[in-house]
């Protein structure tokens, strides 16, 4: 029998095991394409952004929550990827929680990325029914990775994929 206070830490620990695996890319003929970039989000610091501003860039969109054990388990790898690619990739972390709760979580964990809350409906491609859910979109709008559940986002495979779609030497 699990004591309620031990449930979340155990779930996070189990999901960290799952987060050791790298997400897979989608075969080119099965990739969806993001065509409608109009999506307004509000940052935890209060600024508004429209995904339209990032059209033509490589974008990583992650739907998450502070209470979600798989989300928490994959966040260290997200932070590592963000640290190394923040100047080359647009990172959009999306949570429906209050900005105060999200910012408190980010501060406590030492995460340096910005998180956003949607203010308009998301594009159809982002049909999210469970979290974490992460999308990697190339410069032409192709969804290269669509992963539900925890993963290792700082893996060699993800970095190789990013370097390829960024057009950099591997």
């Amino acid at each position: 029998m699990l004591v309620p206070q031990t449930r979340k830490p155990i779930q996070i620990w189990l999901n960290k095991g799952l987060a050791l695996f790298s997400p897979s890319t989608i075969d080119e003929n099965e990739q969806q394409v993001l065509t409608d970039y109009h999506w307004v989000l509000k940052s935890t610091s209060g600024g508004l952004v429209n995904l339209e501003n990032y059209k033509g860039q490589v974008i990583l969109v992650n739907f998450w929550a502070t209470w979600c054990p798989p989300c928490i388990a994959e966040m260290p790898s997200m932070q590592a990827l963000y640290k190394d690619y923040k100047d080359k990739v647009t990172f959009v972390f999306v949570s429906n929680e209050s900005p105060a709760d999200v910012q408190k979580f980010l501060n406590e964990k030492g995460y340096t990325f910005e998180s956003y809350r949607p203010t308009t409906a998301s594009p159809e491609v982002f049909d999210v029914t469970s979290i974490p859910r992460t999308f990697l979109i190339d410069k032409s709008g192709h969804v290269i990775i669509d992963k539900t559940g925890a993963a290792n986002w700082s893996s060699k495979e993800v970095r190789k994929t990013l370097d390829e779609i960024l057009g950099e030497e591997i």
Side-chain angles (χ1 to χ4, degrees):
M1 181 110 171
L2 290 178
V3 179
Q5 296 91 323
T6 63
R7 185 175 174 192
K8 187 174 178 182
I10 290 170
Q11 288 176 326
I12 293 168
W13 180 80
L14 289 171
N15 279 283
K16 281 190 179 188
L18 295 173
L20 294 174
F21 299 100
S22 178
S24 330
T25 56
I26 301 170
D27 289 335
E28 198 171 323
N29 58 347
E30 295 178 16
Q31 294 173 358
Q32 292 187 48
V33 179
L34 178 62
T35 54
D36 176 16
Y37 282 76
H38 182 72
W39 187 28
V40 179
L41 303 138
K42 189 173 190 174
S43 72
T44 52
S45 59
L48 291 176
V49 297
N50 190 331
L51 198 65
E52 185 79 35
N53 298 342
Y54 307 119
K55 190 173 186 176
Q57 297 179 28
V58 175
I59 307 168
L60 186 138
V61 179
N62 174 263
F63 293 87
W64 72 288
T66 63
W67 51 262
C68 164
C71 303
I72 295 167
E74 75 175 2
M75 278 298 161
S77 72
M78 285 288 193
Q79 175 63 39
L81 190 69
Y82 173 78
K83 181 178 166 250
D84 293 343
Y85 284 87
K86 66 183 174 190
D87 296 329
K88 304 171 189 175
V89 174
T90 298
F91 288 83
V92 182
F93 292 91
V94 181
S95 175
N96 284 323
E97 295 175 273
S98 80
D101 289 344
V102 170
Q103 196 58 56
K104 179 182 177 201
F105 175 85
L106 296 176
N107 291 344
E108 285 175 355
K109 300 293 184 185
Y111 298 138
T112 57
F113 51 81
E114 185 84 63
S115 188
Y116 300 89
R117 185 178 184 147
T119 64
T120 61
S122 66
E124 216 172 273
V125 144
F126 304 134
D127 181 25
V128 177
T129 55
S130 65
I131 55 173
R133 178 99 180 257
T134 306
F135 300 85
L136 178 62
I137 301 152
D138 73 6
K139 293 175 184 179
S140 58
H142 291 89
V143 178
I144 305 297
I145 296 175
D146 177 352
K147 171 70 174 142
T148 301
N152 179 1
W153 290 96
S154 189
S155 69
K156 289 179 185 177
E157 293 87 355
V158 170
R159 289 168 180 272
K160 180 180 178 200
T161 299
L162 278 173
D163 291 341
E164 286 173 359
I165 64 176
L166 288 165
E168 297 183 358
E169 294 287 323
I170 298 173

